[in-house]
């Protein structure tokens, strides 16, 4: 397995020079929540959250770009198919695990990614007694070591916890940004407000990203 | 692996949302490089729920769409830069600006080639104003027309706002003030400007990368699969 030689972002050892990049406040989009949970995808991770959930209160529009690497990981295939089949509409959430990339894992990996999305969908259905059209509504992402199967039962058992932990405060967003980190030394989170020429409203945009190595994206 | 999730409460429907993201990605996440390796998992997703109200953006032809696209592009660039700031073992944040190219694609290809050159990146780590390596990478960029050695200029743009340091002008090496070059390279942030022609092309691309240090090898030498 991949060993982490860097300190984990959540362990208080963020390099002093990087602390200036971590926001202490934020302005987050209405109707979105973020949350995380500890799974222990990597057996060596006994403390830090490694499952992240970002959710809209109501079904919404979604879009994505994906790696053009020919060995596309299972969550890439599953999420692309989801957006295609739903025409980018009716999306509810993004569920992400760190610690294992679910890449080059064959048909089993595809099933794992689908199950991860389905169980996330179920959390929303159960909570609201809402309608379940049987179609996926959750985009799935994974990051970490390549070539290993996800500990999928451990992950799905913690999806309700991530759902329960959803919230709209800065701490929720920052905690979720930490949960997607791998060898990153600091969580990457930004937010801002903006306006559009044809509206009076003030809009919000927030984003989190992760990545420190194996970085030369060519997404489409 | 690069992962990103962006959320907005603006009322953007799925089609325009995909168009805005695809456009934004070219000049942001597809314009960064840490180690030149493209992952199996790179994904950036955006959700728009319209919770803030207002007139829906249903087409890519409206002024609202153009404004949203600009906002998303700038926001994505800021997010992408954070990734470069955290490059494994990186000690420098480097902006590569390629100007006067025949097309954006050409400028982007040249910038990308420079950004993934191990010798350029190790020179930056070693604080060496090694324009020869920059020029070398420029010259082997694939499928680029209009790279003419006699018209190519290279300079460093210091992060403190002082005058650029010219290293090569129209293919001719400058007498470089090594002391000033060393001072510029001491800073964490640096911009490399490569001008490909003398006014024959007007396209420009910007790429962000980092240096290549001992620490990068240590970190990745520890990985086991």
């Amino acid at each position: 397995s991949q060993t982490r030689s860097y300190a984990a972002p959540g362990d208080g050892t963020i390099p002093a020079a990087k602390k200036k990049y971590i926001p202490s406040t934020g302005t987050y989009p209405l109707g979105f929540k973020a949350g995380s949970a500890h799974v222990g995808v990597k057996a060596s991770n006994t403390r830090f959250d490694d499952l992240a959930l970002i959710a809209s209160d109501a079904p919404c529009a979604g879009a994505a770009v994906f790696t053009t690497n020919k060995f596309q990981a299972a969550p890439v295939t599953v999420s692309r198919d989801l957006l295609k089949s739903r025409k980018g509409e009716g999306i509810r959430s993004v569920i992400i695990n760190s610690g294992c990339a679910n890449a080059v894992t064959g048909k089993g990996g595809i099933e794992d990614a689908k199950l991860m999305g389905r169980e996330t969908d179920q959390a929303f259905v159960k909570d609201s007694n809402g309608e379940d059209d049987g179609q996926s509504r959750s985009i799935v992402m994974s990051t970490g070591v390549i070539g290993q199967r996800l500990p999928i039962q451990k992950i799905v058992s913690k999806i309700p916890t991530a759902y329960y932990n959803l919230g709209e405060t800065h701490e929720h967003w920052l905690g979720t940004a930490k949960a997607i980190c791998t060898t990153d030394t600091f969580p990457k989170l930004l937010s801002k407000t903006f306006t559009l020429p044809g509206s009076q409203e003030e809009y919000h945009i927030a984003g989190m990203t992760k990545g420190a190595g194996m970085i030369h994206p060519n997404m489409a | 692996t690069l992962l990103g999730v962006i959320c907005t409460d603006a009322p953007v429907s799925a089609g325009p949302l995909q168009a805005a993201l695809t456009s934004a990605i070219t000049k942001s996440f597809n314009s960064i490089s840490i180690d030149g390796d493209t992952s199996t998992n790179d994904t950036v997703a955006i959700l728009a729920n319209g919770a803030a109200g207002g007139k829906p953006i249903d087409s890519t032809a409206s002024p609202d769409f153009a404004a949203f696209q600009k906002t998303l592009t700038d926001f994505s660039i800021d997010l992408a830069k954070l990734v470069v700031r955290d490059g494994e073992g990186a000690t420098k944040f480097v902006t590569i600006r390629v100007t006067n190219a025949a097309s954006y694609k050409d400028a982007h290809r040249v910038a990308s080639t420079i950004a993934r050159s191990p010798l350029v990146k190790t020179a930056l780590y070693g604080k060496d104003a090694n324009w020869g390596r920059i020029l070398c990478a420029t010259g082997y960029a694939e499928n680029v027309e209009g790279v003419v050695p006699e018209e190519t200029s290279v300079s460093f743009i210091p992060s403190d706002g002082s005058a650029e340091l010219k290293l090569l002008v129209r293919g001719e090496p400058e007498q470089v003030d090594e002391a000033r070059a060393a001072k510029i390279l001491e800073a964490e942030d640096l911009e490399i400007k490569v001008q490909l022609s003398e006014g024959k092309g007007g396209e420009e691309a910007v790429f962000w990368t980092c240096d290549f240090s001992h620490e990068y090898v240590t970190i990745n030498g520890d990985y086991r699969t």
Side-chain angles (χ1 to χ4, degrees):
Chain A
S1 63
Q2 179 176 304
T3 55
R4 188 204 297 259
S5 56
Y6 257 23
D11 70 358
T13 57
I14 291 167
K18 307 290 185 187
K19 285 182 179 170
K20 63 188 172 196
Y21 301 118
I22 305 171
S24 55
T25 60
T27 52
Y28 297 99
L30 306 175
F32 280 103
K33 293 186 176 74
S36 61
H38 173 256
V39 175
V41 172
K42 285 172 68 178
S44 59
N45 175 14
T46 57
R47 289 171 59 197
F48 306 112
D49 285 3
D50 49 6
L51 184 66
L53 179 61
I54 301 106
S56 171
D57 291 344
C60 66
V65 287
F66 302 99
T67 182
T68 51
N69 189 314
K70 290 191 171 60
F71 287 96
Q72 295 187 328
V76 169
T77 303
V78 168
S79 297
R80 191 203 298 104
D81 290 351
L82 157 75
L83 285 167
K84 198 172 172 186
S85 68
R86 294 205 69 100
K87 296 189 170 73
E89 291 166 357
I91 306 302
R92 197 66 196 272
S93 71
V94 182
I95 182 87
I96 308 167
N97 76 273
S98 59
C100 177
N102 191 11
V104 202
T105 44
K107 288 177 186 167
I110 296 283
E111 290 308 314
D112 291 346
K114 283 182 180 170
L115 182 60
M116 214 168 132
R118 207 158 52 232
E119 290 296 317
T120 306
D121 296 334
Q122 283 304 309
F124 293 100
V125 173
K126 281 176 193 164
D127 191 43
S128 62
N129 292 322
E131 292 175 19
D132 180 11
D133 62 5
Q135 289 188 51
S136 301
R137 292 178 181 272
S138 297
I139 294 168
V140 180
M141 300 183 195
S142 297
T143 179
V145 66
I146 294 173
Q148 288 183 4
R149 291 285 296 274
L150 288 177
I152 191 64
Q153 289 309 323
K154 276 171 80 177
I155 289 173
V156 296
S157 73
K158 293 293 181 162
I159 288 173
T161 307
Y163 181 84
Y164 179 80
N165 289 341
L166 285 172
E168 53 204 14
T169 69
H170 172 70
E171 285 66 34
H172 285 96
W173 283 87
L174 189 61
T176 305
K178 285 178 182 173
I180 65 174
C181 290
T182 50
T183 56
D184 306 58
T185 65
F186 67 93
K188 298 157 189 71
L189 174 69
L190 290 176
S191 62
K192 67 181 278 190
T193 58
F194 65 99
T195 55
L196 296 172
S199 298
Q200 301 293 320
E201 285 76 11
E202 182 179 67
Y203 297 108
H204 308 82
I205 187 167
M208 62 182 72
T209 186
K210 64 81 48 183
M214 198 179 271
I215 300 287
H216 188 94
N218 182 20
M219 296 178 287
Chain B
T1 291
L2 171 90
L3 296 183
V5 181
I6 300 170
C7 301
T8 180
D9 50 21
V12 190
S13 50
L17 192 65
Q18 183 68 59
L21 180 66
T22 303
S23 167
I25 287 301
T26 304
K27 293 190 172 176
S28 58
F29 292 104
N30 279 2
S31 292
I32 64 170
S33 184
I34 287 175
D35 49 20
D37 273 313
T38 300
S39 170
T40 52
N41 288 57
D42 292 338
T43 305
V44 174
I46 182 167
L47 304 181
N49 66 4
K55 201 172 88 185
I57 300 175
D58 291 325
S59 109
T60 56
S62 71
D64 278 356
F65 174 79
F68 176 72
Q69 189 178 47
K70 170 83 168 63
T71 298
L72 180 61
T73 301
D74 292 345
F75 189 75
S76 300
I77 287 171
D78 289 342
L79 274 174
K81 284 179 176 178
L82 286 177
V83 174
V84 176
R85 294 265 178 212
D86 203 15
E88 285 172 344
T91 68
K92 297 216 174 299
F93 177 86
V94 183
T95 302
I96 299 171
R97 187 179 302 276
V98 176
T99 68
N100 293 27
S103 67
Y104 175 79
K105 218 172 229 181
D106 279 1
H108 194 265
R109 279 183 180 141
V110 169
S112 171
T113 307
I114 296 168
R116 67 199 307 175
S117 160
L119 287 178
V120 169
K121 292 158 87 75
T122 49
L124 291 167
Y125 176 67
K127 303 182 179 71
D128 176 15
N130 198 322
W131 54 264
R133 293 181 184 180
I134 297 167
L135 212 59
C136 175
T138 301
Y140 67 69
E142 290 183 355
N143 301 316
V144 176
E145 291 177 15
V147 175
V148 180
E150 294 77 22
E151 293 190 22
T152 304
S153 301
V154 177
S155 50
F156 285 168
I157 314 292
S159 58
D160 63 6
S162 59
E164 68 181 306
L165 177 69
K166 293 180 179 177
L167 305 171
L168 183 87
V169 177
R170 292 186 291 277
E172 292 294 326
E174 290 285 287
Q175 192 67 42
V176 177
D177 178 347
E178 290 293 344
R180 179 149 188 259
K183 196 177 170 210
I184 290 170
L185 286 159
E186 281 291 333
E188 183 182 333
D189 286 23
L190 168 74
E191 181 174 324
I192 298 170
K193 184 179 164 193
V194 178
Q195 183 179 305
L196 291 182
S197 73
E198 288 296 316
K200 287 181 187 162
E203 294 298 326
E204 174 179 316
V206 184
F207 219 88
W208 294 274
T209 189
C210 55
D211 58 344
F212 201 17
S213 71
H214 299 278
E215 184 66 4
Y216 178 85
V217 178
T218 301
I219 292 164
N220 288 286
D222 280 350
Y223 284 12
R224 296 289 180 274
T225 300

